[in-house]
Amino acid sequence: MSSVLIVGGTAGIGLEIARHYAERGHRVTLTGRDADRAAAAATEVGGDTTGLALDLAAPREIAAALAGLGAVDGLVLAAIERDVNSVADYDIDRAVRLVTLKLVGYTEVVHALRSRLAPDGAIVLFGGLALQRPYPGSITVSTVNGGVIGLMHAMIVELAPIRVNVIHPGFVADSPYWRDRDLSHAVARTPCGRLAQMADIVDAVAFLLGNPAINGVSLSVDGGILLG
Ligand SMILES: NC(=O)c1ccc[n+]([C@@H]2O[C@H](COP(=O)([O-])OP(=O)(O)OC[C@H]3O[C@@H](n4cnc5c(N)ncnc54)[C@H](OP(=O)(O)O)[C@@H]3O)[C@@H](O)[C@H]2O)c1
């Protein structure tokens, strides 16, 4: 990968993916909603890394935000906003926001970049365990985590030969969202006895992006928790 774009690269797993590629000499662009925060994250990552601001929840502004970017051969769409919603107490505005961010926003990034994506390049979309293991409040998260699989299938057909894959992390124990919370209940249910770490997710993303035969894979990285 000579040029990698990580949407949602200012924090958490996206930031670790940026570090991975920067340390190996790749040209990296990472994004968040705020230009200063993105620039600071890029400086922290070091190497040939640039920060860029774009808001996936404002999809009509994405093309302009990406206008200055050159060719991309690795695209990681990792951004998320935390959400709590349920059928019983359905907040339509919250639902529309997350669906826009994750499904319309992710798609618009690819649309805006389509002439700059290398034919031998690859895209990784982030879903998550809530697709198959919903929890109270996950109605929209579970929905969009399934939606990215449909997006992957359609993009593979439309963008061929560009490869597209999805990763579904389980509880990522050392990610900022979870690292100070008690996850012993999840460890107890996980057959291999440990939860995924951010390094495990980065390793899986590098595999999905880099292996030229991997296309259309929806990969769970969760220690097998659904079998526990
Ligand atoms: N952590 C886990 O255990 C876990 C489990 C299952 C799935 N996942 C999935 O893994 C991915 C990464 O999760 P994470 O925990 O590392 O996330 P995180 O630490 O919360 O980071 C989220 C990233 O998304 C960006 N972002 C938020 N809202 C945005 C918006 N409207 N437009 C553009 N960018 C936006 C944030 O940037 P700014 O704040 O700088 O704008 C940040 O870079 C997500 O897709 C998540 O659903 C994570």
Side-chain angles (χ1 to χ4, degrees):
M1 300 274 144
S2 58
S3 173
V4 182
L5 171 63
I6 299 139
V7 175
T10 57
I13 296 164
L15 184 61
E16 293 308 310
I17 296 168
R19 257 192 253 285
H20 171 92
Y21 284 103
E23 283 168 1
R24 285 158 183 78
H26 304 272
R27 192 165 71 248
V28 173
T29 305
L30 59 82
T31 83
R33 287 161 292 185
D34 178 74
D36 290 342
R37 184 166 146 85
T43 302
E44 184 195 328
V45 166
D48 186 1
T49 305
T50 308
L52 195 70
L54 67 81
D55 185 353
L56 290 171
R60 289 186 174 80
E61 297 165 18
I62 290 173
L66 291 171
L69 196 67
V72 171
D73 48 15
L75 171 59
V76 179
L77 288 154
I80 190 68
E81 283 177 18
R82 303 292 169 199
D83 183 69
V84 178
N85 214 337
S86 64
V87 174
D89 194 15
Y90 200 45
D91 182 328
I92 291 175
D93 288 339
R94 286 198 75 123
V96 169
R97 183 174 177 86
L98 187 59
V99 169
T100 302
L101 184 162
K102 193 95 182 183
L103 299 181
V104 181
Y106 276 25
T107 309
E108 173 56 16
V109 169
V110 177
H111 166 252
L113 291 175
R114 63 199 183 286
S115 63
R116 286 168 275 171
L117 293 171
D120 61 349
I123 300 170
V124 171
L125 310 170
F126 268 73
L129 181 65
L131 168 63
Q132 291 180 285
R133 179 64 62 82
Y135 51 85
S138 80
I139 190 73
T140 317
V141 177
S142 297
T143 301
V144 298
N145 285 352
V148 293
I149 296 177
L151 188 51
M152 168 182 75
H153 291 157
M155 289 200 301
I156 286 169
V157 172
E158 192 178 338
L159 303 178
I162 294 168
R163 295 179 296 104
V164 189
N165 295 290
V166 168
I167 184 164
H168 296 287
F171 298 90
V172 183
D174 62 345
S175 65
Y177 186 72
W178 289 112
R179 63 180 157 225
D180 296 325
R181 300 176 196 226
D182 179 15
L183 288 171
S184 51
H185 63 288
V187 176
R189 285 207 317 268
T190 304
C192 69
R194 74 183 276 286
L195 299 175
Q197 308 291 310
M198 290 200 285
D200 304 323
I201 307 300
V202 173
D203 182 62
V205 168
F207 163 69
L208 295 172
L209 270 189
N211 188 307
I214 300 297
N215 199 19
V217 169
S218 184
L219 180 66
S220 294
V221 183
D222 59 11
I225 194 169
L226 291 172
L227 301 171

